[in-house]
Amino acid sequence: MFLFYATPLIPFMAMAVVLVLGYLIGPARAHAPAHLALRTGEAGRPLPSALPNAAPRRLVGASIAGAYLLVVLANFAYFYPVLAAKVMTYEEWNARIWLSSWI
């Protein structure tokens, strides 16, 4: 009923969700820390990176982030008729009212 009070929070909540999804997906390239990147191994070859190939981690993170976004979009599509005050039958409306406190 008083959701308009939460309107100023929306930009910050959107940035927080994007930040968490970015951390979940991970960096584009795995870099060794600066103090390790400057050292060299035997025969002058660079030491292997402290963070090995990040592709599997990014794939799993992107899959989880994509699944989360699909659930959010499906949830919005399901509740849109109620949020937009569309005409619907009582059964359709009652199916979307999950908690009795929402009435």
Side-chain angles (χ1 to χ4, degrees):
M1 178 183 270
F2 297 106
L3 285 176
F4 61 89
Y5 288 121
T7 304
L9 296 173
I10 292 173
F12 301 105
M13 188 172 62
M15 287 190 299
V17 167
V18 169
L19 180 69
V20 169
L21 291 177
Y23 282 142
L24 182 67
I25 292 173
R29 253 189 255 158
H31 293 291
H35 69 279
L36 291 178
L38 299 177
R39 293 175 43 198
T40 56
E42 55 194 45
R45 287 177 286 181
L47 289 174
S49 170
L51 299 173
N53 188 4
R57 180 189 186 283
R58 285 182 56 84
L59 180 62
V60 171
S63 299
I64 293 171
Y68 170 76
L69 290 176
L70 286 176
V71 167
V72 168
L73 286 174
N75 188 26
F76 178 75
Y78 182 71
F79 283 109
Y80 180 74
V82 174
L83 298 172
K86 300 284 184 182
V87 176
M88 59 176 56
T89 65
Y90 177 77
E91 289 79 21
E92 291 173 340
W93 175 80
N94 196 32
R96 287 165 173 81
I97 304 300
W98 292 345
L99 302 173
S100 61
S101 63
W102 289 3
I103 299 176

